[in-house]
């Protein structure tokens, strides 16, 4: 291979590599449909916290170290919600939303996205707390606990057991309508840019 | 003929073509590892400039401001971006080369694993860098990152909530992102140190010409084809179509198309397979070359093997038993220190065998003494008719690749590495009647054992221990560096060397003529009529 061929060939190859580098560093890509809108459900709620208590048996107590022999064992959790979403009267989601955390004792987070064509759409959302207080094994004790601390009562006042939204949306191309919880108004609201 | 894997054959051809275009000294494929370091240095310098103008409170606007600096900021931002892209390419090539060449197991395991983590950190650095811009690409990368992280049940609150539009993006997010982007290069430095910690004299930078050439090309594209601005991130608009950097976002189409658990499972499987490369890619136990050993009786404690070992596998230790030995004993007469090979660090390159004048160290079957035995058997095959030229070739060079016994009618003595070849073998071949010895090594930057050709060249021509003796006619030995895929270069070097040897033989034959005997006796003055 002559020197001139090497110089020209090497230069061309370097330039090709450079162009490929520049091209691949800014190649257009469609992450979602070119045309389309989105309804995004995103909110956080502390939910209704309940405690489930029971008495330990004498055998159980005997197995524990002396300093850990509490008569009662209690576990707290947040009641789940049922989320039903209808778009244009079509059922899009019907799911139980459980609290986060391994023991389901952390807040509840809702995050769903529903693609829609641009235009006018009827959106219906129902977010209802599940699990009646009767499910709690030792309701009296749990109720007493709540009254004592007042925290759950405050939570109950702050967040209704049922959130509903039934509205009509007009969405333009690529627009996202956010459905979220407004703590001041204690209801679901639509938030747009 | 030894078989080569298809990937190895492809790599051989690629190397050969790049050598033809750029020469082995500037072959970027050989320099892929050092190019990464040079590009990281470019990233550091350009990054410091960009950091001066970046504003946490106005991420997008501040990058727009930088890009609007036509004379400085725009090309510096472009250079920062293109250097990061080129670093990923170079790192991937470097890893692929070592994988194909099966240089990723045994003592090289630490370098392999550290290199993989380095590559991963470069990715994370790039990822956070794009999020810093907070354009559409940054938003998509941030969202996908959050989606993946939310699958790990360790966060008190889903990270994805940050990007739903429920509230403005907190400044803490951009601060954390910037912190990771700036802090990771420190980790890169530490990992780079670990990456090369088991090699002696690591080559960290490519040849100056190649380095500045590469940086110059990246500068050129930054100026000629500058990076623009994508539309800003908008939490209330779907991203639609936007420009993405595929060196950092290549995984997006796959990850977006599958559930999060599948993305984690796929990514985890690929990562695990790469991390376990040192296990699955290593040869079977019976096929693994044995590490070097030291014959303490022959070791003079000269430290040459200790200095030459490219993997710092040899140390000098106090000679066992010498401290308490009687003054008149043989042991007391020996050196205070003796070489010691750490088998866990030894790659069995045999370079120590070439460095040892008394031939007291080397891998089993490849010490200087073993090589001389092999050379004797090799010469015996000539059946008394010594060839004009013989080739002593590294098996990874074009001289002795594929286990060929002859090259253009010239006998080939294969050696595992040019640095393994003991200079006494060269002398022995000449003494056995060979007119010349052509030593063919692989190109130094592609030496599988890092420093074989370098040390052999110094032993042949610069009196490095174990040096080729002064009495050997240097015109009859030649060292050439030829990659496996370029046998035509060996052929031309051989032809030229052969003609030079023939000229030497002719000259020697002419010098051997007794002129006094061949010519008429001189006429004395008295005999003149």
């Amino acid at each position: 291979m002559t020197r001139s061929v090497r110089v020209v060939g090497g230069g061309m190859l370097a330039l090709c590599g450079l162009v490929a580098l520049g091209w691949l560093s800014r190649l257009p890509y469609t992450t979602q449909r070119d045309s389309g809108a989105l309804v995004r459900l995103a909110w956080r709620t502390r939910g209704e916290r309940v405690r489930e208590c029971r008495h330990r048996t004498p055998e159980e107590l005997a197995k524990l170290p002396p300093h850990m022999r509490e008569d009662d064992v209690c576990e707290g959790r947040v009641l789940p919600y049922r989320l039903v979403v209808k778009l244009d009267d079509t059922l899009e989601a019907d799911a139980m939303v459980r609290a986060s955390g391994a023991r389901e004792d952390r807040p509840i987070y809702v995050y769903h996205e529903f693609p829609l064509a641009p235009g006018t759409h009827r959106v219906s959302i129902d977010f209802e707390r599940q699990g009646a207080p009767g499910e709690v094994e030792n309701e009296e004790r749990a109720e007493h606990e709540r009254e004592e601390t007042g925290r759950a009562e405050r939570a109950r006042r702050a967040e209704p057991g049922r959130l509903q939204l039934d509205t009509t949306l007009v969405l333009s191309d690529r627009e996202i309508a956010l459905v979220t919880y407004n703590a001041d108004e204690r209801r679901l609201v639509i938030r747009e840019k | 003929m030894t078989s080569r894997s298809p990937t190895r054959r492809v790599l051989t051809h690629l190397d050969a073509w790049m050598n033809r275009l750029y020469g082995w000294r500037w072959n970027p494929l050989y320099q892929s590892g050092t190019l990464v370091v040079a590009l990281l240095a470019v990233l550091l310098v350009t990054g410091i400039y960009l950091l001066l103008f970046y504003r946490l409170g106005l991420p997008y606007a501040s990058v727009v401001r930088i890009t609007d600096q036509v004379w400085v900021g725009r090309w510096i931002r472009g250079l920062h971006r293109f250097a990061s892209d080129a670093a990923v390419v170079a790192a991937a090539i470097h890893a692929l080369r070592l994988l194909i060449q099966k240089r990723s197991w045994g003592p090289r395991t630490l370098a392999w694993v550290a290199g993989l983590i380095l590559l991963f950190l470069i990715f994370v650095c790039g990822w956070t860098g794009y999020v810093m811009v907070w354009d559409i690409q940054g938003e998509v990368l941030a969202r996908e990152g959050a989606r993946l992280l939310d699958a790990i049940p360790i966060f008190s609150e889903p990270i994805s909530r940050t990007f739903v539009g429920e509230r403005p993006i907190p400044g803490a997010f951009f601060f954390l992102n910037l912190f990771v982007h700036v802090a990771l290069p420190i980790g890169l430095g530490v990992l780079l140190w670990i990456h090369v910690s088991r090699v002696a004299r690591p080559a960290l930078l490519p040849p100056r010409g190649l380095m500045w050439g590469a940086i110059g090309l990246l500068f050129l594209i930054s100026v000629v084809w500058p990076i623009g601005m994508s539309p800003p991130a908008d939490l209330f608009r779907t991203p639609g179509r936007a420009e993405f950097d595929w060196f950092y976002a290549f995984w997006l189409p796959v990850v977006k198309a599958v559930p999060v658990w599948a993305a984690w499972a796929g990514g985890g499987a690929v990562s695990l397979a790469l991390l376990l490369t040192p296990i699955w890619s290593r040869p079977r136990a019976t096929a693994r070359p044995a590490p070097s050993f030291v014959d303490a009786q022959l070791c003079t404690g000269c430290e040459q093997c200790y200095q030459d070992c490219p993997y710092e596998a040899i140390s000098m230790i106090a000679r066992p038993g010498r401290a308490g030995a009687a003054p008149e004993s043989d042991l007391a007469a020996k050196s205070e220190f003796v070489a010691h090979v750490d088998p866990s660090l030894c790659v069995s390159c045999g370079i120590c065998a070439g460095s040892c004048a008394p031939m007291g160290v080397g891998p089993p079957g490849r010490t200087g003494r073993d090589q001389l035995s092999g050379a004797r058997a090799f010469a015996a095959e000539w059946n008394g008719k010594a060839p004009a030229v013989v080739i002593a070739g590294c098996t990874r060079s074009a001289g002795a690749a594929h286990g060929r016994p002859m090259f253009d009618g010239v006998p080939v003595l294969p050696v595992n590495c040019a640095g393994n070849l003991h200079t006494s073998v060269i002398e022995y071949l000449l003494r056995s009647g060979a007119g010349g010895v052509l030593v063919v090594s692989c190109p130094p930057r592609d030496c599988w054992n890092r420093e074989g050709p370098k040390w052999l060249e110094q032993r042949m021509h610069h009196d490095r221990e174990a040096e080729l003796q002064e009495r050997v006619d240097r015109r009859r030995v030649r060292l050439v560096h030829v990659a496996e895929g370029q046998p035509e270069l060996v052929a031309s070097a051989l032809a030229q060397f052969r003609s030079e040897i023939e000229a030497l033989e002719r000259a020697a034959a002419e010098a051997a003529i007794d002129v006094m005997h061949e010519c008429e006796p001189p006429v004395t003055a008295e005999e003149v009529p």
Side-chain angles (χ1 to χ4, degrees):
Chain A
M1 198 179 279
T2 61
R3 182 177 166 76
S4 56
V5 171
R6 282 210 316 270
V7 169
V8 173
M12 290 293 288
L13 184 65
L15 279 178
C16 287
L18 209 58
V19 170
L21 190 83
W23 182 65
L24 283 171
S25 79
R26 60 185 114 192
L27 193 60
Y29 168 61
T30 308
T31 50
Q32 277 168 314
R33 295 175 309 178
D34 272 331
S35 63
L38 205 66
V39 173
R40 177 182 291 155
L41 277 55
W43 65 84
R44 169 190 189 274
T45 172
R46 279 176 294 171
E48 171 78 351
R49 188 178 168 84
V50 293
R51 276 163 61 96
E52 294 167 341
C53 299
R54 65 178 180 82
H55 289 293
R56 283 199 173 103
T57 63
E59 291 78 23
E60 282 179 313
L61 285 170
K63 286 178 187 171
L64 293 170
H67 66 282
M68 293 179 71
R69 286 174 188 165
E70 291 274 345
D71 287 341
D72 293 338
V73 56
C74 296
E75 283 188 2
R77 69 181 174 96
V78 174
L79 292 175
Y81 279 73
R82 182 183 177 204
L83 175 69
V84 178
V85 181
K86 287 180 182 172
L87 299 176
D88 298 325
D89 296 328
T90 306
L91 184 68
E92 292 288 337
D94 184 354
M96 291 295 281
V97 183
R98 298 189 178 281
S100 53
R103 292 180 177 174
E104 295 184 10
D105 57 352
R106 305 291 302 160
I108 291 173
Y109 297 104
V110 174
Y111 183 35
H112 288 279
E113 288 185 341
F114 301 97
L116 286 171
T120 305
H121 298 279
R122 185 173 178 78
V123 177
S124 172
I125 297 166
D126 189 3
F127 187 62
E128 188 179 16
R129 187 184 299 148
Q130 302 294 297
E135 276 186 11
V136 179
E137 280 184 25
N138 192 337
E139 174 57 19
E140 279 181 15
R141 184 180 297 275
E143 189 64 33
H144 173 71
E145 191 84 23
R146 280 198 292 272
E147 284 173 4
E148 195 172 68
T149 61
R151 281 181 302 173
E153 191 56 38
R154 282 200 297 277
R156 188 184 296 153
R157 271 203 304 273
E159 284 147 9
R162 187 169 196 183
L163 294 168
Q164 285 180 300
L165 181 75
D166 201 343
T167 188
T168 300
L169 286 175
V170 181
L171 295 171
S172 61
D173 185 27
R174 293 182 52 209
E175 185 179 351
I176 296 175
L178 172 69
V179 179
T180 189
Y181 175 68
N182 186 317
D184 295 334
E185 299 174 19
R186 299 179 65 218
R187 65 184 182 91
L188 294 177
V189 294
I190 301 284
R191 195 172 291 172
E192 289 167 276
K193 193 174 183 183
Chain B
M1 296 282 279
T2 52
S3 62
R4 298 276 197 258
S5 67
T7 48
R8 172 90 185 271
R9 282 201 293 272
V10 170
L11 184 64
T12 301
H13 285 299
L14 276 175
D15 281 342
W17 273 105
M18 294 301 257
N19 281 341
R20 284 175 194 126
L21 289 174
Y22 300 107
W24 60 260
R25 286 180 184 81
W26 281 28
N27 182 341
L29 297 181
Y30 290 164
Q31 302 285 349
S32 49
T34 53
L35 277 171
V36 176
V37 180
L39 292 167
L40 289 180
V42 171
L43 286 170
L44 190 68
V45 173
T46 51
I48 288 171
Y49 178 87
L50 297 174
L51 196 60
L52 294 176
F53 293 91
Y54 185 72
R55 295 286 173 269
L56 282 173
L58 295 165
Y60 184 80
S62 60
V63 179
V64 168
R65 198 175 140 222
I66 292 168
T67 310
D68 286 344
Q69 297 173 9
V70 179
W71 295 106
V72 187
R74 184 175 294 178
W75 70 259
I76 285 187
R77 183 176 164 234
L79 189 56
H80 192 72
R81 177 156 171 176
F82 291 129
S84 68
D85 294 339
V88 169
V89 175
I93 290 173
H94 184 59
L96 205 59
R97 282 188 75 80
L98 294 177
L99 182 63
I100 291 171
Q101 294 175 340
K102 298 192 185 302
R103 292 162 66 190
S104 51
W105 60 274
R108 293 165 170 131
T109 300
L110 179 69
W112 174 262
V113 173
L116 281 182
I117 299 173
L118 253 174
L119 184 55
F120 174 73
L121 288 190
I122 290 174
F123 268 121
V124 177
C125 239
W127 192 332
T128 53
Y130 282 114
V131 172
M132 279 173 72
V133 181
W134 204 235
D135 56 1
I136 289 180
Q137 180 178 206
E139 183 195 338
V140 171
L141 289 175
R143 275 182 190 283
E144 283 306 307
R147 191 170 77 98
L148 291 172
L149 288 176
D150 282 343
I152 309 171
I154 58 170
F155 300 103
S156 61
E157 192 169 309
I159 302 171
S160 298
R161 283 195 70 234
T162 311
F163 312 112
V164 295
E166 198 181 353
R167 55 189 171 174
I169 306 276
F173 166 74
F174 290 108
F175 174 77
L176 185 66
N177 189 64
L178 176 66
F179 177 78
V180 172
H181 190 70
V182 173
L184 276 184
I186 299 169
L188 289 178
V190 173
L191 271 168
L192 187 63
W193 173 73
I194 295 172
H195 185 61
V196 298
S197 62
R198 284 199 173 171
V199 296
R201 300 167 292 278
L204 289 176
L205 290 175
R208 212 172 275 181
L210 178 64
M211 183 175 74
W212 288 113
I215 294 172
L217 284 171
L218 294 177
F219 170 73
L220 180 73
I221 192 173
S222 308
V223 172
V224 175
W225 197 6
I227 295 293
M229 291 298 299
S230 290
D234 186 345
L235 302 179
F236 288 93
R237 302 266 296 168
T238 59
R241 192 169 176 79
E243 288 181 349
F244 280 78
D245 185 337
W246 289 95
F247 297 101
Y248 288 90
F250 63 90
W251 49 271
L252 260 182
V254 180
V255 169
K256 281 186 79 69
V258 298
V260 178
W261 65 266
W264 273 110
V270 171
S271 304
L272 196 65
L274 287 172
L275 283 171
L276 295 179
T277 298
I279 293 173
W280 60 257
S281 72
R282 67 184 171 190
R284 281 175 300 189
T286 50
R288 283 176 219 156
S292 290
F293 70 97
V294 176
D295 186 337
Q297 289 300 313
L298 295 172
C299 180
T300 61
C302 70
E303 298 188 0
Q304 193 61 49
C305 58
Y306 161 72
Q307 288 174 25
D308 285 4
C309 178
Y311 294 94
E312 294 186 337
I314 298 178
S315 54
M316 301 304 294
I317 60 169
R319 188 179 285 275
R322 185 181 180 277
E328 64 279 4
S329 66
D330 284 351
L331 203 58
K334 288 189 178 295
S335 61
E336 185 182 353
F337 294 100
V338 67
H340 170 75
V341 178
D342 181 347
S344 67
L345 301 179
C346 178
V347 302
S348 192
C349 63
I351 285 175
C352 52
S355 72
C356 186
M359 305 181 181
V361 62
R366 287 190 281 134
T367 64
R369 283 161 197 259
D370 296 322
Q371 289 179 47
L372 275 179
S373 300
R376 267 187 217 108
F378 178 67
E381 290 174 10
W382 302 342
N383 296 322
K385 193 183 173 192
V389 174
V390 294
I391 289 177
C394 158
T395 50
R396 292 172 187 113
S397 74
H402 312 295
R404 65 176 81 178
M406 304 285 277
F407 191 105
D408 282 359
V410 169
V412 174
L413 175 67
V415 287
N416 183 61
C417 172
N420 185 200
L421 181 66
H422 201 283
T423 51
S424 296
V425 172
I426 299 172
E427 185 175 350
Y428 179 83
L429 293 173
L430 292 172
R431 281 173 173 271
S432 300
V437 179
L438 180 67
V439 182
V440 185
S441 82
C442 54
R445 281 305 305 156
D446 192 39
C447 175
W448 287 32
N449 304 311
R450 300 190 57 245
E451 295 181 318
K454 182 172 81 172
W455 291 154
L456 180 64
E457 196 270 338
Q458 293 202 10
R459 288 169 196 155
M460 286 170 66
H461 299 295
H462 300 285
D463 287 339
R464 190 181 186 87
E465 289 274 351
E467 75 278 14
L468 185 63
Q469 295 299 307
E470 207 174 321
R471 57 182 173 260
V472 176
D473 186 351
R474 295 305 196 269
R475 294 172 300 175
R476 292 181 180 276
V477 292
R478 178 145 312 159
L479 172 63
V480 290
H481 309 302
V482 184
E484 188 181 334
Q486 295 180 285
E488 73 279 3
L489 291 186
V490 178
S492 65
L494 183 62
Q496 190 186 345
F497 188 51
R498 203 185 253 160
S499 68
E500 287 174 22
I501 293 297
E502 283 169 3
L504 274 179
E505 298 294 356
R506 275 198 304 275
E510 285 168 9
I513 296 172
D514 185 351
V515 178
M516 301 299 284
H517 177 76
E518 298 291 334
C519 300
E520 293 278 328
V523 178
T524 59
E526 292 78 25
E527 288 174 336
V528 176

